[in-house]
């Protein structure tokens, strides 16, 4: 059954979901994520769960509580090795709950992960749970490894991220069940991603499973960053057992070179080619060579390859699947089954241009992707007027439907292709204009920041964006702008606003809690309506005056303004 586990339990659940979403976004995973809290009784009581959705939404069809049975969970725990009445076997109950959730919801499109530890809150042991879209999860690149006992093990970067988020959420829940400290899940998204990537790489580069070198990803990033006589490093390292019959060493190195000898590894990489790479086993380079045949790829799950593609960039491959790519120390999962053209573009079209020919626009976007140096496609609601306005920094054309070949050819020149909602071209070589509006990314080039300014101009003038841009960077990154905002709980936003106002009403506010609350408001500022912004700004002004001796008082000067793109449809009411 679904009951309230503690007052405002949904605030912690919302922060867990937001934190998981932030870390998974950073990892390049755009699948669905729902957060839940499940409480197992400490005494003779019914099982309880808090489902996704605010407390007013108890009849949510995604409720996971209705089919949970405590007797089944206890039976699974017994099969896993028994249970203790005084000292709960947290991990076994976690495994049992996860197994039970996935069994009773088979075929419903979700896969559930449970935190390895619980927190004792009142008369229940509470676990954080993340439900992830099963189709999206299964499309994530998987690393396979055969253990010493012959069993197959599967791992993805997405699973590593989810596991780490749940581990951290369990610590926050035990420390502060009110949940305010859990906002750090979002604030530490890159730190959590780096830890998850290190775990993933440790398993991938050590197929024996005995040496879990958790800094392997840093070692590889350092190798990729090392120049050799001014040249960037490009080459590969294949993980393989020297006794594997499918491995063909051309040269054996004796004694093997430790992978921690960075300069030696970088020098050896100069001898590699597309068909000959370094061979590594248990963190040591034992030779140069390759695999004997294509069939060998299916014969052993241990043939994982690290490909160095430039300064500070490398990729992790197994067979013909890219599992992971790392640039300047930041990891992202490898090639997805679906690109942003298939996932993000239809959503943004539905949001800003209902009635547009989505299939035709996707066809053009895929054709524009076949470029050698980056490209841009601009979809404008009034493309004819925009083509006139953007002259002379664009060439107008008679409205025409472009075939895929011509679209790809037009991307060879600088500037964007401008099309209308039906896909007809109105201008080529388009240079976008716009004003800086506090958004953008200084680490990206003009191909990314020009459309950010272009779209931001409409927002600065109090209008919704009038166009959609699809951006292809030279490094292979694809961005669809603007991004469609996700929905959040209205009650969660109210909770943050009320929590801030509470600090103005007490004589000695909890400064840590205040800082966490302000940080959460900044993270969710898009969802603040005009009345919310007024309340927050008044509260911040009051606190700024009363906390004149607080060194970190500068965070209380943030000016919140309603976002023109926000309306009540962005809430789960």
């Amino acid at each position: 059954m679904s009951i309230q586990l503690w007052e405002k339990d949904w605030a912690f659940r919302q922060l867990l979901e937001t934190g998981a979403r932030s870390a998974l976004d950073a990892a390049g995973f755009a699948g669905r994520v729902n957060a839940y809290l499940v409480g197992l009784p400490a005494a003779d009581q019914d099982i309880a769960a808090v489902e996704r959705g605010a407390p007013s939404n108890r009849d949510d069809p995604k409720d996971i509580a209705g089919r949970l049975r405590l007797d089944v969970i206890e039976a699974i725990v017994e099969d896993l090795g028994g249970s203790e009445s005084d000292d709960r076997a947290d991990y076994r109950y976690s495994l049992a709950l996860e197994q039970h959730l996935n069994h009773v919801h088979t075929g419903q499109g979700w896969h559930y992960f449970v935190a390895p530890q619980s927190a004792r809150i009142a008369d229940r042991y509470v676990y954080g749970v993340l439900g992830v879209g099963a189709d999206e999860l299964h499309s994530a690149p998987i690393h396979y490894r055969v253990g010493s006992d012959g069993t197959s093990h599967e791992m993805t970067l997405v699973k590593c991220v989810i596991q780490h988020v749940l581990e951290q959420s369990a610590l926050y829940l035990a420390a502060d069940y009110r949940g305010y400290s859990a906002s750090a899940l979002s604030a530490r998204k890159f730190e959590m991603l780096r830890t998850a990537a290190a775990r993933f790489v440790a398993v991938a580069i050590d197929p024996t499973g005995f040496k879990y070198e958790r800094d392997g990803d840093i070692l590889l990033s350092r190798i990729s960053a090392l120049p050799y006589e001014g040249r960037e490093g490009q080459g590969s390292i294949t993980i393989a057992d020297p006794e594997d019959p499918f491995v063909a060493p051309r040269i054996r190195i004796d004694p093997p070179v430790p992978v921690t000898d960075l300069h030696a590894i970088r020098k050896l990489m100069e001898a590699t080619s597309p068909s000959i790479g370094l061979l590594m086993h248990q963190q040591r380079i034992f030779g140069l060579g390759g695999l004997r045949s294509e069939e060998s790829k299916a014969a052993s799950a241990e043939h994982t390859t690290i490909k160095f593609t430039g300064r500070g960039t490398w990729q992790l491959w197994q067979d013909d699947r890219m599992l992971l790519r790392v640039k300047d120390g930041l990891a992202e999962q490898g090639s997805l089954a679906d690109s942003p053209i298939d996932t993000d573009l239809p959503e943004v079209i539905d949001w800003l241009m209902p009635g547009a020919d989505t299939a035709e626009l996707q066809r053009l976007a895929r054709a524009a992707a076949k470029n050698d140096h980056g490209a841009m496609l601009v979809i404008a609601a009034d493309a004819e007027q925009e083509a006139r306005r953007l002259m002379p920094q664009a060439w107008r054309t008679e409205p025409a439907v472009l075939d895929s070949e011509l679209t790809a050819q037009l991307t060879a020149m600088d500037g964007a292709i401008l099309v209308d909602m039906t896909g007809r071209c109105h201008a080529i070589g388009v240079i976008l204009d716009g004003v800086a509006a506090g958004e953008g990314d200084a680490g990206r080039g003009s191909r990314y920041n020009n459309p950010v300014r272009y779209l931001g101009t409409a927002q600065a003038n109090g209008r919704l964006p009038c166009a959609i841009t699809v951006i292809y960077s030279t490094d292979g990154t694809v961005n669809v702008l603007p991004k469609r905002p996700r929905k959040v709980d209205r009650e969660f936003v109210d909770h943050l606003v009320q929590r801030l106002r509470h600090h103005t009403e007490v004589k000695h506010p909890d400064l840590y809690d205040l800082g966490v609350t302000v940080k959460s408001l900044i993270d969710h500022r898009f969802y603040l309506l005009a009345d919310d912004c007024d309340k927050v700004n008044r509260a911040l002004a009051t606190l700024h005056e009363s906390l004149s001796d607080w060194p970190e008082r500068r965070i209380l000067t943030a000016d919140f303004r309603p976002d023109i793109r926000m309306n009540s449809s962005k809430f789960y009411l």
Side-chain angles (χ1 to χ4, degrees):
M1 63 178 177
S2 297
I3 67 172
Q4 189 175 34
L5 297 175
W6 69 89
E7 185 181 4
K8 296 183 180 178
D9 45 16
W10 47 270
F12 185 93
R13 175 178 38 74
Q14 178 72 52
L15 289 169
L16 169 58
E17 185 170 312
T18 302
R21 180 70 275 159
S22 297
L24 289 169
D25 275 346
F29 178 77
R32 299 163 294 161
V33 179
N34 290 339
Y36 307 84
L37 295 172
V38 175
L40 300 182
D44 186 18
Q45 300 166 340
D46 291 329
I47 192 170
V50 176
E51 72 278 8
R52 184 182 185 281
S56 60
N57 219 7
R58 292 296 177 198
D59 295 328
D60 191 322
K62 295 185 178 66
D63 176 16
I64 65 170
R67 300 174 67 183
L68 295 182
R69 289 179 51 187
L70 185 58
D71 59 332
V72 174
I73 294 174
E74 295 286 2
I76 297 173
V77 170
E78 289 290 340
D79 290 340
L80 292 172
S83 88
E84 297 83 6
S85 57
D86 297 327
D87 183 17
R88 284 175 46 83
D90 248 7
Y91 186 57
R92 285 199 292 272
Y93 273 90
S94 167
L95 293 176
L97 180 56
E98 186 170 295
Q99 181 177 328
H100 185 43
L101 278 169
N102 285 304
H103 176 72
V104 299
H105 294 94
T106 299
Q108 295 185 7
W110 294 88
H111 187 91
Y112 297 94
F113 298 86
V114 179
Q117 293 177 313
S118 68
R120 175 72 182 265
I121 301 176
D123 56 357
R124 299 187 185 275
Y125 294 95
V126 180
Y127 290 87
V129 177
L130 289 174
V132 183
D135 290 342
E136 300 97 304
L137 184 66
H138 294 153
S139 71
I142 301 172
H143 179 269
Y144 298 95
R145 177 174 61 81
V146 178
S148 56
D149 58 355
T151 58
S152 177
H153 302 270
E154 299 180 359
M155 181 65 73
T156 69
L157 177 63
V158 171
K159 288 183 179 179
C160 288
V161 170
I162 292 169
Q163 289 167 356
H164 188 58
V165 168
L166 286 170
E167 288 169 2
Q168 293 299 300
S169 72
L171 297 177
Y172 288 127
L173 185 59
D176 177 15
Y177 67 86
R178 296 172 304 167
Y180 305 118
S181 61
S183 64
L185 291 170
S186 295
R188 296 173 52 219
K189 61 183 178 182
F190 291 116
E191 178 186 340
M192 290 195 295
L193 174 58
R194 192 262 136 179
T195 302
R199 178 183 297 180
F200 181 69
V201 171
V203 173
I205 68 176
D206 179 27
T208 64
F210 293 121
K211 295 183 180 179
Y212 284 84
E213 175 56 71
R214 289 302 171 88
D215 289 330
D217 61 321
I218 293 180
L219 284 174
L220 297 175
S221 290
R222 291 182 65 190
I223 292 172
S224 70
L226 268 179
Y228 183 80
E229 296 183 351
R231 294 189 294 275
E232 292 186 353
Q234 292 190 349
S236 65
I237 299 176
T238 296
I239 317 299
D241 191 320
E243 305 305 320
D244 189 326
F246 294 101
V247 175
R250 302 284 290 274
I251 293 177
R252 288 186 179 269
I253 301 173
D254 188 23
V257 180
V259 73
T260 51
D261 191 343
L262 304 182
H263 289 279
I265 301 301
R266 178 63 189 87
K267 185 174 182 178
L268 285 169
M269 278 176 55
E270 289 294 298
T272 65
S273 70
S275 60
I276 298 176
L278 302 182
L279 300 173
M280 184 172 75
H281 181 61
Q282 294 186 358
Q283 316 294 323
R284 293 176 178 272
I285 302 297
F286 66 87
L288 286 89
L291 302 178
R292 291 191 184 280
S293 66
E294 289 297 314
E295 290 76 12
S296 65
K297 294 180 179 181
S300 173
E302 297 185 1
H303 296 151
T304 300
T305 299
I306 303 146
K307 296 182 180 180
F308 299 94
T309 57
R311 188 159 189 169
T313 62
W314 56 275
Q315 301 165 350
L316 195 68
W317 289 72
Q318 189 174 53
D319 299 342
D320 57 354
R321 305 183 312 279
M322 187 203 299
L323 309 178
L324 180 80
R325 54 178 155 219
V326 178
K327 181 178 182 181
D328 299 328
L330 291 179
E332 186 178 70
Q333 73 170 353
S335 302
L336 294 170
D338 296 319
S339 75
I341 297 171
D342 300 310
T343 56
D344 298 348
L345 183 56
E347 286 191 356
V348 178
I349 291 173
D350 180 64
W351 172 38
L352 293 177
M353 299 180 184
D357 189 340
T358 302
E360 176 63 11
L361 295 174
Q362 284 182 290
R363 181 189 68 79
L364 289 172
R366 292 190 188 98
K370 298 175 181 178
N371 63 81
D372 296 325
H373 56 80
M376 189 189 311
L377 178 70
V378 179
I379 306 165
D382 191 347
E384 184 175 356
Q385 180 178 335
E386 275 297 278
R388 290 197 194 95
R389 189 185 69 79
L390 289 169
M391 290 180 64
Q393 55 197 50
W395 286 305
R396 287 179 58 199
T397 67
E398 292 184 3
V401 176
L402 305 178
D403 60 33
S404 297
E405 181 181 3
L406 182 56
T407 301
Q409 288 175 331
L410 289 172
T411 63
M413 71 172 72
D414 289 336
I417 301 172
L418 176 67
V419 302
D420 60 25
M421 295 196 302
T422 65
R424 294 182 304 163
C425 178
H426 288 259
I428 59 176
V430 178
I431 306 300
L432 297 179
D433 59 3
V435 296
E439 297 186 15
D441 185 344
R444 301 288 298 273
S446 59
R447 183 174 286 113
Y448 178 85
N449 284 294
N450 282 352
V452 170
R453 289 192 290 270
Y454 172 69
L455 297 170
T457 301
Q459 182 181 343
N461 293 331
R463 296 181 286 109
L464 282 173
C466 59
I468 299 167
T469 60
V470 185
I471 307 159
Y472 304 90
S473 300
T474 52
D475 63 1
T477 303
V478 182
N479 296 103
V480 176
L481 298 176
K483 295 181 179 179
R484 182 172 186 170
R486 292 187 174 86
K487 292 187 177 182
V488 302
D489 291 339
R490 170 72 250 188
E491 195 159 354
F492 176 68
V493 174
D494 289 342
H495 164 73
L496 293 177
V497 175
Q498 292 165 9
R499 191 67 193 170
L500 181 66
R501 296 177 70 188
H502 162 76
H503 288 293
T504 68
E505 300 166 357
V506 296
K507 188 173 182 180
H508 300 292
D510 182 332
L511 297 185
Y512 176 77
D513 186 73
L514 173 59
V516 168
T517 302
V518 173
K519 178 62 172 62
S520 292
L521 281 165
I522 292 173
D523 289 343
H524 294 84
R525 66 188 310 153
F526 172 83
Y527 301 96
L528 300 181
L529 300 175
D531 184 53
D532 300 320
C533 290
D534 290 341
K535 292 176 182 177
V536 169
N537 288 329
R538 286 197 297 269
L540 289 174
T542 300
L543 289 165
H544 192 267
E545 284 295 320
S546 62
L547 297 175
S548 57
D549 58 344
W550 190 33
E552 291 82 8
R553 191 171 59 139
R554 62 184 180 277
I555 74 167
L556 303 178
T557 60
D559 182 21
F560 286 79
R561 300 179 182 179
D563 194 305
I564 186 63
R565 298 167 296 176
M566 175 59 196
N567 58 57
S568 59
S569 69
K570 307 301 186 302
F571 288 120
Y572 289 108
L573 299 177

